[in-house]
């Protein structure tokens, strides 16, 4: 695969995830058809490469197996559902199921046919920086002129949104950019990305950023004793932080201050989890509990109800699965979650020495607590899982001053 084709496919793969929405001054969120356009273009590239060749037989076999398995699951659950209709007043949405299957298959095809680590990192860096600079510029314009374009104001205060679906959608992108900047020793960019994270005023972004940073620093340690010591320290620090948050008054009116937007809202979420939903507010915990209760009530806790489960969950509980494991729980039950976690642990371990670790780690961690962006977000996790199974002969590593050195080719300026 030529570098030019790989770069084109990578732009087509990444850009839709960063440009899907326009927040109007009045507060409405206009959805742009970039996801469908990007998916169509990527499928054309996939078909073109397969037709022209040459393509490794193993890659084609893996893509074919993915298509067969995922479409097989879709058909199997769809055929089984009519026999279960008497148990509930809603059902999975076939169009959502089909969209999920196509998204997964396309992400696998991209990873096997077009992925090159140096190209992927470079394109992600440029595209994400373009998107985040646009978002910050819109935020500044709102502060200076009150424009309101591309700025979120749900909680009575301007929050960074840009062309993403909501402020929390920045969680994986800000975290990934921050880890790449740290690896490249781009200190000015580190400061800029931290500023962007603060401007989102999102507890989800805060959790994702802190979690990604902590996990990254632990994973890049070479000595096991150092990693274990850091893990112990993080466990103690986390326990102290949770106990502190549990003592914060969450019932006073929220102001636009950063303390209220980050700390009090985060404390409210902690209260909800520790009290089992009796006090506080945590939409993601509520969604998770609703999915578990619904699956247990219907006897589907181990198997789920198949792709498109969000259609059923919305109809039966009024909520949507708010994280990747919750979606998998609803779709494929506890068995599916076990498989997912096993794949993610294997992925992180196998990517530990690669330059793409920080990028993919940010998306994996964010997917545990967030769903903003849907499959345009989850597809990065799928690529990470597939890439972890690709031999490291084309992997790259970061050296000082932002130089990326390929293990199999000449140095390339990052």
């Amino acid at each position: 695969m030529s570098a030019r084709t790989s770069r084109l496919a990578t732009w087509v793969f990444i850009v839709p995830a960063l440009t899907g929405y326009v927040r109007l001054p009045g507060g409405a969120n206009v959805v742009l058809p970039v996801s469908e356009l990007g998916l169509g273009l990527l499928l054309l590239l996939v078909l073109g490469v397969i037709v022209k060749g040459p393509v490794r037989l193993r890659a084609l076999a893996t893509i074919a197996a993915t298509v067969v398995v995922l479409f097989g699951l879709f058909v199997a659950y769809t055929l089984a559902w009519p026999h279960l209709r008497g148990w509930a007043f809603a059902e999975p949405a076939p169009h959502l199921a089909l969209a999920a299957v196509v998204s997964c298959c396309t992400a696998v095809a991209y990873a096997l046919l077009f992925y090159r680590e140096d190209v992927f990192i470079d394109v992600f860096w440029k595209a994400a920086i373009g998107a985040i600079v646009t978002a910050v510029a819109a935020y500044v314009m709102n502060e200076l002129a009150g424009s309101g374009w591309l700025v979120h104001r749900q909680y009575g205060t301007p929050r960074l949104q840009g062309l993403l679906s909501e402020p929390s959608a920045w969680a994986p992108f800000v975290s990934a950019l921050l880890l790449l900047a740290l690896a490249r020793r781009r200190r000015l960019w580190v400061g800029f990305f931290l500023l962007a994270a603060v401007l989102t005023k999102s507890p989800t972004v805060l959790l994702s950023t802190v979690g990604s940073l902590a996990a990254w620093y632990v994973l890049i340690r070479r000595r096991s004793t150092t990693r274990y010591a850091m893990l112990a320290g993080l466990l103690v620090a986390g326990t102290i932080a949770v106990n502190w948050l549990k003592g914060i008054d969450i019932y006073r009116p929220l102001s636009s201050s950063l303390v209220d937007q980050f700390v009090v809202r985060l404390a409210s979420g902690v209260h909800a989890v520790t009290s089992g939903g009796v006090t506080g507010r945590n939409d993601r915990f509520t969604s998770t509990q609703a999915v578990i209760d619904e699956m247990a009530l219907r006897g589907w806790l181990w198997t789920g109800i198949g792709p498109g489960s969000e259609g059923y969950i919305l109809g039966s509980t009024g909520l949507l699965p708010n994280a990747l494991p919750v979606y998998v729980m609803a779709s494929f039950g506890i068995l599916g979650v076990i498989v997912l976690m096993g794949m993610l642990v294997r992925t992180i371990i196998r990517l530990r020495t690669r330059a793409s670790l920080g990028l993919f780690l940010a998306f994996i961690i964010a997917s545990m607590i967030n769903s903003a962006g849907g499959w345009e977000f989850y597809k990065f996790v799928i690529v990470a899982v597939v890439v972890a199974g690709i031999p490291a002969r084309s992997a790259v590593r970061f050296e000082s001053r932002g130089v990326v050195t390929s293990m199999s080719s000449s140095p390339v300026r990052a």
Side-chain angles (χ1 to χ4, degrees), residues 228-301:
Y228 294 145
M230 293 178 72
L231 283 172
L234 289 171
L235 182 61
V236 172
T239 302
I240 294 173
V242 169
N243 287 330
W244 173 64
L245 289 169
K246 287 169 64 177
I248 292 177
D249 178 14
I250 61 174
Y251 293 106
R252 61 183 177 83
L254 287 179
S255 70
S256 60
S257 70
L258 292 178
V259 172
D260 279 10
Q261 292 298 316
F262 277 113
V263 179
V264 177
R265 287 177 59 202
L266 184 59
S268 181
V270 170
H271 275 260
V273 174
T274 56
S275 69
V278 176
T279 61
R281 175 182 174 181
N282 189 322
D283 293 341
R284 287 163 180 79
F285 174 76
T286 302
S287 169
T288 302
Q289 193 62 55
V291 168
I292 294 175
D293 291 344
E294 185 68 18
M295 295 298 103
L297 177 65
R298 306 298 179 185
W300 303 330
L301 193 58

Side-chain angles (χ1 to χ4, degrees), residues 98-187:
L98 189 59
V101 169
V102 172
S103 295
C104 289
C105 292
T106 307
V108 171
Y110 165 79
L112 292 172
L113 298 179
F114 302 106
Y115 178 85
R116 288 179 51 162
E117 191 166 43
D118 55 344
V119 172
F120 192 83
I121 293 172
D122 182 57
V123 172
F124 179 87
W125 175 263
K126 292 175 180 177
I129 283 181
I132 204 167
V133 167
T134 299
V136 171
Y139 186 96
V140 172
M141 287 298 297
N142 177 78
E143 291 294 286
L144 295 178
S147 67
W149 286 90
L150 308 184
V151 176
H152 192 279
R153 302 188 64 92
Q154 178 179 343
Y155 291 98
T157 180
R159 301 169 65 202
L160 193 77
Q161 177 172 334
L163 294 171
L164 272 61
S165 60
E166 59 180 90
S168 70
W170 281 107
F173 295 101
V174 168
S175 303
L177 285 171
L178 184 59
L179 294 183
L180 287 177
L182 287 169
R184 295 179 172 197
R185 303 183 184 180
R186 305 286 184 85
R187 293 179 178 84

Side-chain angles (χ1 to χ4, degrees), residues 49-407:
V49 168
I50 291 176
V51 170
K52 290 183 178 180
V55 179
R56 293 185 64 188
L57 182 60
R58 183 176 179 180
L60 287 178
T62 303
I63 294 171
T66 302
V67 172
V68 170
V69 169
L70 293 183
F71 273 93
L73 287 172
F74 167 63
V75 172
Y77 276 95
T78 301
L79 292 176
W81 183 253
H83 301 288
L84 305 173
R85 282 183 177 173
W87 294 91
F89 58 84
E91 61 185 80
H95 69 285
L96 295 177
L98 189 59
V101 169
V102 172
S103 295
C104 289
C105 292
T106 307
V108 171
Y110 165 79
L112 292 172
L113 298 179
F114 302 106
Y115 178 85
R116 288 179 51 162
E117 191 166 43
D118 55 344
V119 172
F120 192 83
I121 293 172
D122 182 57
V123 172
F124 179 87
W125 175 263
K126 292 175 180 177
I129 283 181
I132 204 167
V133 167
T134 299
V136 171
Y139 186 96
V140 172
M141 287 298 297
N142 177 78
E143 291 294 286
L144 295 178
S147 67
W149 286 90
L150 308 184
V151 176
H152 192 279
R153 302 188 64 92
Q154 178 179 343
Y155 291 98
T157 180
R159 301 169 65 202
L160 193 77
Q161 177 172 334
L163 294 171
L164 272 61
S165 60
E166 59 180 90
S168 70
W170 281 107
F173 295 101
V174 168
S175 303
L177 285 171
L178 184 59
L179 294 183
L180 287 177
L182 287 169
R184 295 179 172 197
R185 303 183 184 180
R186 305 286 184 85
R187 293 179 178 84
L188 290 177
W189 280 119
V190 169
F192 182 79
F193 299 144
L194 287 174
L195 172 63
V198 170
L199 294 181
T200 65
K201 301 173 187 175
S202 166
T204 302
V205 173
L206 175 63
L207 286 175
S208 177
T209 302
V210 172
S212 298
L213 280 169
W216 185 68
Y217 274 112
V218 169
L219 289 167
I220 62 175
R221 301 299 106 184
R222 293 186 177 182
R223 295 184 179 181
S224 298
T225 53
T226 304
R227 291 200 299 272
Y228 294 145
M230 293 178 72
L231 283 172
L234 289 171
L235 182 61
V236 172
T239 302
I240 294 173
V242 169
N243 287 330
W244 173 64
L245 289 169
K246 287 169 64 177
I248 292 177
D249 178 14
I250 61 174
Y251 293 106
R252 61 183 177 83
L254 287 179
S255 70
S256 60
S257 70
L258 292 178
V259 172
D260 279 10
Q261 292 298 316
F262 277 113
V263 179
V264 177
R265 287 177 59 202
L266 184 59
S268 181
V270 170
H271 275 260
V273 174
T274 56
S275 69
V278 176
T279 61
R281 175 182 174 181
N282 189 322
D283 293 341
R284 287 163 180 79
F285 174 76
T286 302
S287 169
T288 302
Q289 193 62 55
V291 168
I292 294 175
D293 291 344
E294 185 68 18
M295 295 298 103
L297 177 65
R298 306 298 179 185
W300 303 330
L301 193 58
W302 284 95
T303 61
I305 59 174
S309 59
E310 60 264 52
Y312 170 82
I313 296 300
L314 181 62
S316 59
T317 69
L319 300 171
L320 285 171
N322 277 323
L324 181 57
V326 185
Y327 169 80
V328 173
M329 167 70 76
S331 300
F332 306 110
I334 293 176
L335 294 176
V337 174
I338 292 173
V339 172
L340 172 68
M341 292 305 173
M343 289 168 45
L344 294 183
V345 169
R346 172 182 177 273
T347 296
I348 292 172
I349 292 173
R350 299 199 66 172
L351 293 179
R352 193 170 68 83
T353 59
R354 301 195 194 179
S356 57
L357 170 66
L359 195 164
F360 287 129
L361 184 64
F363 279 89
I364 290 172
I365 289 178
S367 72
M368 297 294 102
I369 59 174
N370 198 21
S371 64
W375 284 104
E376 283 297 332
F377 161 29
Y378 294 152
K379 69 183 184 182
F380 287 85
V381 179
I382 298 170
V383 170
V385 171
V386 178
V387 166
I390 298 175
R393 59 178 178 273
S394 62
V396 296
R397 58 188 174 86
F398 283 109
E399 294 183 348
S400 61
R401 299 183 181 179
V403 176
V404 180
T405 304
S406 172
M407 294 181 179

